[in-house]
């Protein structure tokens, strides 16, 4: 999947939105945003570089819909605008075509016909100068887990710090979606500025804001708190999240996000298309391996074809069964490696608020982690292809 397989849905009617969710399927993916804020619509279009936009149109607020169509076709001439209405209306069709729409879908129409017309429009799209640039923005690493018992906060902070040490000249941002009241991740740092502040005014995001609101924790590494529940990640807020992260991806070489378990579905759905790596952590338990398999199949539609999905087994002790290979086979996902429990050094790092790589650089956890990050960066297209093949055979 690429950015160009994303279809923007500028729809407010719940019935039409539900119908589109049923009709539009792979390889396309819907990104929904309301008609109320034209600026947000245009920003989301810019962030996704989508080529097809579906706009709801009705007699009650026809002027608003026509204004959106005109704005879209003026700002992005290569975009195909398709109107969607609850019932057929010749006058609505004519006016929307005059404004720049190229087709009209009537809710409840034959799903097969709608999908075929959508495919034709996608094939006829006109490429533009930004197509090649967009592929360079797949610089997200999402850290999720198969169970709430797995501590992705600790894992994500150490992945970010490990990447920072491996690439000291690059700019890295680590985002914690499960911050505590005392700080971000387990580190002794607290920023007043949060992702929620950014989503409230995304137009203010620039280099000056980054420099003043997010101090460097270590040279080249900044931290951002993002404690938001699923209710804050739906509808327009999901669009705002996509837009904001798109801006951040232009400003940082790498972004690591701890998405945890409870809200992971919303984060993966909103940002998976830009993920370079999705790391799913689990304990060496068979039931968690089965949970990983379920997650892999559920998240497949939200990830890009170049996204690499890897399994990290946290808490491996000695040669106790099941082995890494057995867990990987059960989960249906490539195993990046295992991390020892090494509880004494973990506990020291958590309570001191210092990175374990600095406090206990030679401990088993630090050595295994750094080796795992090195392997992660060595992966190529073969690992990604293997994951898709596994999902197809196991799905």
């Amino acid at each position: 999947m690429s950015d160009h397989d994303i279809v923007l849905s500028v729809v407010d009617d719940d019935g039409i939105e539900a119908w589109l969710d049923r009709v539009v399927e792979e390889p396309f993916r819907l990104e929904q945003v309301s008609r109320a804020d034209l600026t947000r619509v245009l920003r989301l279009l810019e962030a996704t570089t989508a080529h097809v936009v579906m706009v709801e149109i009705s007699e009650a607020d026809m002027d608003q819909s026509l204004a959106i169509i005109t704005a879209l076709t003026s700002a992005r001439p290569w975009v195909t605008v398709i109107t969607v209405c609850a019932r057929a209306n010749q006058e609505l069709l004519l006016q929307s075509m005059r404004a720049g729409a190229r087709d009209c879908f009537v809710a409840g129409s034959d799903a097969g016909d709608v999908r075929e017309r959508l495919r034709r429009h996608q094939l006829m799209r006109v490429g533009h100068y930004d197509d090649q640039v967009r592929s360079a923005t797949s610089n997200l690493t999402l850290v999720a887990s198969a169970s709430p018992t797995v501590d992705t906060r600790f894992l994500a902070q150490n992945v970010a710090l490990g990447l920072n040490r491996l690439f000291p000249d690059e700019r890295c941002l680590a985002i914690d979606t499960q911050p505590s009241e005392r700080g971000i991740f387990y580190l002794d740092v607290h920023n007043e500025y949060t992702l929620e502040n950014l989503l409230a005014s995304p137009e203010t995001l620039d280099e000056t804001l980054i420099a003043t609101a997010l101090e460097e924790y270590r040279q080249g590494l900044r931290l951002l708190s993002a404690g938001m529940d699923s209710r804050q990640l739906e509808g327009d807020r999901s669009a705002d999240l996509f837009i904001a992260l798109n801006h951040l991806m232009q400003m940082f070489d790498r972004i690591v996000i701890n998405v945890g378990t409870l809200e992971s579905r919303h984060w993966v759905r909103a940002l998976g298309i830009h993920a370079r790596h999705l790391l799913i952590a689990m304990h060496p338990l068979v039931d968690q391996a089965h949970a990983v398999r379920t997650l892999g199949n559920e998240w497949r539609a939200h990830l890009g074809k170049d996204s690499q999905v890897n399994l990290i087994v946290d808490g491996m002790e000695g040669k106790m069964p099941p082995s890494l290979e057995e867990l990987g086979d059960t989960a249906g996902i490539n195993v990046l490696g295992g991390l020892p429990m090494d509880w004494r050094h973990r506990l020291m790092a958590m309570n001191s608020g210092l990175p374990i790589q600095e406090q206990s650089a030679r401990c088993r956890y630090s050595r295994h982690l750094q080796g795992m990050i090195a392997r992660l960066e060595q992966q190529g297209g073969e690992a990604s292809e293997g994951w898709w093949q596994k999902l197809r055979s196991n799905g």
Side-chain angles (χ1 to χ4, degrees):
M1 181 182 291
S2 70
D3 275 0
H4 311 310
D5 294 321
I6 295 176
V7 176
L8 294 195
S9 168
V10 189
V11 172
D12 292 330
D13 184 274
D14 291 339
I16 293 178
E17 185 178 343
W19 176 73
L20 287 174
D21 281 336
R22 291 193 303 270
V23 169
V24 178
E25 56 184 24
E26 288 190 59
F28 302 110
R29 167 189 142 181
L30 280 177
E31 277 291 337
Q32 198 274 335
V33 61
S34 76
R35 296 179 296 167
D37 187 345
L38 179 56
T39 302
R40 179 183 281 119
V41 174
L42 292 173
R43 287 205 309 264
L44 183 59
L45 178 63
E46 180 181 0
T48 61
T49 68
H51 284 270
V52 176
V53 183
M54 291 190 285
V55 180
E56 177 190 345
I57 189 167
S58 66
E59 295 179 4
D61 46 18
M62 185 166 57
D63 289 343
Q64 180 192 42
S65 297
L66 293 176
I68 291 174
I69 295 169
T70 302
L72 288 171
T73 53
S74 298
R76 302 288 187 271
W78 58 83
V79 167
T80 297
V81 177
I82 300 171
T83 57
V84 187
C85 56
R87 59 188 61 85
N89 183 306
Q90 192 68 18
E91 182 61 25
L92 285 180
L93 177 62
L94 289 174
Q95 293 211 38
S96 63
M97 293 296 180
R98 292 191 189 107
R102 300 186 193 177
D103 203 345
C104 178
F105 294 163
V106 179
S109 299
D110 178 71
D113 176 61
V114 169
R115 290 170 191 148
E116 179 58 32
R117 286 158 65 187
L118 188 57
R119 278 191 288 268
R120 286 203 304 269
H121 286 300
Q122 192 76 334
L123 289 172
M124 293 171 61
R125 70 190 181 218
V126 180
H128 62 96
Y129 70 93
D130 201 36
D131 283 357
Q132 296 302 316
V133 177
R134 301 302 309 166
S135 62
T137 63
S138 297
N139 56 2
L140 291 183
T141 296
L142 304 179
V143 183
S145 65
S147 166
T149 62
V150 182
D151 191 354
T152 57
R153 290 184 72 213
F154 193 68
L155 176 59
Q157 81 171 38
N158 292 322
V159 167
L161 285 156
L163 288 170
N164 176 236
R165 295 181 71 183
L166 195 60
F167 302 99
D169 297 327
E170 294 188 358
R171 302 180 70 187
C172 182
L173 174 67
I175 301 176
D176 184 12
T177 69
Q178 300 171 308
S180 67
E181 293 182 3
R182 295 180 58 84
I184 306 173
F185 297 108
Y186 288 100
L187 303 173
D188 186 18
V189 61
H190 180 74
N191 290 334
E192 294 294 333
Y193 191 82
T194 68
L195 182 62
E196 194 166 3
N197 298 133
L198 174 57
L199 296 186
S201 52
E203 68 281 353
T204 63
L205 179 60
D206 57 19
E207 291 289 352
T208 301
L209 177 64
I210 293 297
T212 55
L214 300 178
E215 295 182 7
E216 282 190 313
Y217 176 72
R218 294 291 185 268
Q219 183 176 352
L221 175 64
R222 299 176 192 267
L223 310 176
L224 179 63
S225 173
M228 302 167 65
D229 61 35
S230 58
R231 290 169 296 180
Q232 296 174 287
L233 295 173
E234 296 177 345
D236 287 345
R237 185 50 64 96
S238 176
D240 289 339
L241 179 66
F242 196 103
I243 293 165
L245 262 294
N246 179 266
H247 285 312
L248 288 172
M249 284 187 292
Q250 314 301 321
M251 304 171 74
F252 289 89
D253 298 299
R254 298 168 188 274
I255 298 179
V256 178
I257 306 179
N258 165 37
V259 301
T261 305
L262 297 179
E263 311 297 346
S264 59
R265 175 179 175 274
H266 299 277
W267 285 91
V268 172
R269 186 186 186 284
L271 302 174
I273 193 70
H274 282 316
R276 180 182 181 187
H277 298 291
L278 171 61
L279 306 179
I280 306 180
M282 60 167 283
H283 291 315
L285 298 169
V286 174
D287 64 337
Q288 289 193 16
H290 286 289
V292 169
R293 179 187 290 272
T294 301
L295 290 177
N297 286 311
E298 178 185 339
W299 289 344
R300 172 183 173 182
H302 305 310
L303 297 169
K305 289 182 179 177
D306 293 329
S307 299
Q308 297 179 8
V309 182
N310 287 279
L311 184 66
I312 295 177
V313 183
D314 194 9
M316 291 293 293
E317 286 300 326
K319 296 182 179 180
M320 292 180 58
S323 66
L324 288 177
E325 292 75 16
E326 289 171 328
L327 290 170
D329 288 342
T330 301
I333 289 177
N334 178 64
V335 179
L336 183 64
L339 291 170
M341 183 56 70
D342 203 355
W343 183 239
R344 182 168 69 93
H345 290 104
R346 289 198 198 204
L347 199 59
M348 288 171 56
M350 291 176 185
N351 286 332
S352 67
L354 292 172
I356 192 171
Q357 298 98 317
E358 296 175 11
Q359 187 176 68
S360 309
R362 297 304 301 164
C363 75
R364 292 173 61 226
Y365 185 95
S366 293
R367 287 185 282 113
H368 278 73
L369 177 78
Q370 208 59 31
M372 189 177 66
I373 291 173
R375 288 194 298 276
L376 183 71
E377 289 303 309
Q378 291 169 358
Q379 285 185 345
E382 183 179 344
S384 175
E385 182 180 358
W387 172 68
W388 283 96
Q389 289 173 342
K390 282 186 177 182
L391 277 182
R392 288 194 183 101
S393 62
N394 294 327

